[in-house]
């Protein structure tokens, strides 16, 4: 038996004499004993030219290590023999085990987070529905005049704040479901004109209060879009919410839909707001991340949930989302969706 210096170090032998009398097969696997011919027939009876396997081996000092073994039969001076190559993969296996453990811990943490968000959302929705419902009753004066006009204003503020909080909760829960892979679009015909109309109506009062003008350009005879109506509406609502939020008084928001070819429709929301620094564009597409506040003048509100949801919902429809912005000029968000819906 011939061994190189690396093999001596691997088995912690002083020289070849420490290994004399030992079968190479005994060194690579304790199950192999006896003569070389029997072991070769046992290992290569199926005609395999080279056998590779991982196994725990014992050094001469009694310590163990993981080895990657490669055994190739050959003739040695007219007698059957073998070429054995061993690699110490102990550190590699330890690193893989640490990685698997970290992934397991992360998965457990993510599951706990999802369960917490689901429970929290349920607990918050119940009182919110009461707040929103009673504020609507007060606003409509269902049971008679409310009295002082200031009370009517308070009821409106309560309703708007409740609706805003409800949307925040829904978005957070949606993001959690997306991250967990538990959300998929329900495909059916969607009329984009109706979604644009209802979304603009929802933001009209807020935009008017902020002195921001919303304009729409929707061509006639648009084809029906195959998609998830709630997701498509959420895409537009989130883009409009950001546009209204980031556009100062006197600014303008333009919603435009056009057919760019036989297979795709493009929805764009363009504003004349503060804009986003180019270095922040990739960052704002990550969940719960905002652009640096010092780069967005006069703005501190938000949770960084809207644009990541837009991006995720577009991807679920096999669509494309692009965000273009220049500070001090404004932002253009473009959503391109296949008319016939996602392939899968």
């Amino acid at each position: 038996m011939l061994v190189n210096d690396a093999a001596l170090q691997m088995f912690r032998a002083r020289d070849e004499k420490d290994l004399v009398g030992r079968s190479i097969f005994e060194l690579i696997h304790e199950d192999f004993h006896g003569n070389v011919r029997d072991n070769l027939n046992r290992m290569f009876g199926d005609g395999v030219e080279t056998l590779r396997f991982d196994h725990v081996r014992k050094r001469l000092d009694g310590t163990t290590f993981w080895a990657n073994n490669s055994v190739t039969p050959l003739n040695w001076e007219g007698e059957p023999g073998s070429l054995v190559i061993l690699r110490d993969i102990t550190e590699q296996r330890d690193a893989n085990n640490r990685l698997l453990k970290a992934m397991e811990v992360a998965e457990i943490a993510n599951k706990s987070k999802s369960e917490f968000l689901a429970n929290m959302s349920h607990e918050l929705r119940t009182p919110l529905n009461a707040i929103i419902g009673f504020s609507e009753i007060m606003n409509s004066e269902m049971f008679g005049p409310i009295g002082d006009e200031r009370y009517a204003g308070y009821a409106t503020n309560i309703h708007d704040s409740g609706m805003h909080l409800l949307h925040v909760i829904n978005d957070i829960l949606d993001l959690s479901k997306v991250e967990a892979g538990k959300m998929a679009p329900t495909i059916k015909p969607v009329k984009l004109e109706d979604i644009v109309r209802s979304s603009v109506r929802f933001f009209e009062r807020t935009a008017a209060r902020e002195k921001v003008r919303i304009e729409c350009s929707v061509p006639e005879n648009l084809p029906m879009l195959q998609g998830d109506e709630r997701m498509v509406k959420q895409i537009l609502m989130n883009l409009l919410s950001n546009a209204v939020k980031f556009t100062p008084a006197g600014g303008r928001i333009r919603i435009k839909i056009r057919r760019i070819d036989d297979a795709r429709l493009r929805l764009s929301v363009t504003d004349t707001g503060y804009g986003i620094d180019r270095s922040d564009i990739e960052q704002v597409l990550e969940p719960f991340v905002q652009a640096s506040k010092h780069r967005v003048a006069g703005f501190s509100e938000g949770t960084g949930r809207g644009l990541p949801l837009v991006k995720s919902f577009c991807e679920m429809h096999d669509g494309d989302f692009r965000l273009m912005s220049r500070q001090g000029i404004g932002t253009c968000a473009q959503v391109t969706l296949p008319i016939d819906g996602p392939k899968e």
Side-chain angles (χ1 to χ4, degrees):
M1 180 173 64
L2 299 178
V3 296
N4 62 9
D5 290 340
L8 294 176
Q9 293 176 11
M10 185 175 295
F11 286 99
R12 295 184 181 172
R14 291 169 296 181
D15 52 44
E16 292 184 13
K17 294 178 181 179
D18 287 344
L19 301 177
V20 170
R22 298 174 183 270
S23 166
I24 188 63
F25 295 99
E26 183 183 345
L27 291 175
I28 63 174
H29 203 298
E30 65 272 10
D31 290 343
F32 293 96
H33 301 285
N35 62 56
V36 173
R37 188 183 303 277
D38 289 343
N39 280 317
L40 285 174
N41 290 336
R42 183 178 176 185
M43 296 178 73
F44 296 94
D46 57 359
V48 177
E49 294 183 0
T50 299
L51 187 66
R52 295 180 176 85
F53 58 94
D54 296 344
H55 196 67
V56 176
R57 294 308 314 126
K58 184 178 290 187
R59 299 185 179 95
L60 297 184
D61 61 4
T63 60
T64 58
F65 68 98
W66 271 95
N68 173 258
N69 308 273
S70 172
V71 185
T72 304
L74 49 78
N75 287 322
W76 180 259
E77 297 180 350
E79 293 294 328
S82 61
L83 170 65
V84 179
I85 301 173
L86 296 93
R87 289 191 309 116
D88 187 340
I89 59 171
T90 306
E91 291 187 5
Q92 177 184 334
R93 287 184 65 93
D94 288 345
N96 287 341
N97 289 335
R98 288 194 297 270
L99 179 60
L100 289 173
K101 183 65 176 177
M103 291 173 63
E104 182 181 346
V105 171
E107 186 176 348
I108 293 172
N110 190 55
K111 183 179 179 181
S112 299
K113 180 198 70 176
S114 299
E115 290 176 353
F116 167 75
L117 289 175
N119 293 332
M120 180 197 71
S121 299
H122 175 73
E123 293 296 327
L124 290 176
R125 277 192 181 118
T126 302
L128 264 179
N129 287 333
I131 292 170
I132 293 169
F134 285 127
S135 63
E136 287 178 349
I137 291 173
M138 294 167 64
N139 225 354
S140 64
E141 297 183 324
M142 183 180 295
F143 303 116
I146 200 169
D148 196 307
E149 289 184 0
R150 287 175 294 182
Y151 291 142
Y154 297 155
T156 299
N157 291 338
I158 292 171
H159 179 270
D160 291 348
S161 298
M163 290 299 297
H164 174 73
L165 185 54
L166 185 60
H167 286 304
V168 171
I169 293 170
N170 288 336
D171 282 355
I172 291 174
L173 188 58
D174 283 347
L175 273 176
S176 176
K177 289 180 179 178
V178 168
E179 288 182 347
K182 294 182 179 180
M183 178 174 281
T186 301
I187 306 302
K188 62 180 183 179
V190 176
K191 195 171 184 179
L192 275 179
E193 302 97 310
D194 293 344
I195 288 179
V196 171
R197 194 177 299 113
S198 63
S199 299
V200 170
R201 189 163 54 245
F202 182 86
F203 284 101
E204 272 180 342
R205 187 165 56 188
T206 304
R209 186 173 64 240
E210 300 296 331
K211 296 181 175 58
V212 174
R213 188 169 75 256
I214 300 179
E215 301 174 354
C216 295
S217 175
V218 180
E220 296 181 359
N221 302 320
L222 272 178
M224 296 289 281
L225 177 72
Q226 297 296 320
D228 186 300
E229 184 172 2
R230 188 184 76 84
M231 289 187 182
V232 174
K233 185 171 183 178
Q234 194 68 22
I235 287 172
L236 181 55
M237 292 282 283
N238 285 354
L239 294 180
L240 262 179
S241 175
N242 276 356
V244 172
K245 199 183 302 179
F246 283 99
T247 303
R252 178 171 56 89
I253 299 169
R254 182 177 177 83
I255 304 169
K256 185 178 181 180
I257 300 177
R258 67 186 181 95
R259 186 168 183 167
I260 56 176
D261 54 36
D262 291 340
R264 296 175 297 168
L265 291 173
R266 176 167 292 163
L267 165 68
S268 62
V269 178
T270 307
D271 64 60
T272 57
Y274 299 114
I276 306 171
D277 190 272
R278 182 178 297 178
S279 62
D280 279 337
I281 288 181
E282 287 189 14
Q283 180 179 332
V284 299
L285 296 178
E286 295 297 321
F288 307 115
V289 176
Q290 285 182 261
S292 302
K293 289 184 173 61
H294 68 275
R295 294 176 182 162
V296 186
F299 179 75
S300 60
E301 181 189 357
T303 58
R305 68 194 189 281
L307 294 179
L309 266 181
V310 171
K311 181 173 179 287
S312 296
F313 288 169
C314 283
E315 291 172 352
M316 288 182 187
H317 285 78
D318 290 345
D320 178 63
F321 176 50
R322 295 184 63 197
L323 190 65
M324 297 157 284
S325 187
R326 291 184 64 183
Q327 278 196 298
I329 295 178
T331 301
C332 177
Q334 286 186 348
V335 174
T336 305
L337 299 174
I339 295 173
D340 293 335
K343 295 178 180 178
E344 297 182 5

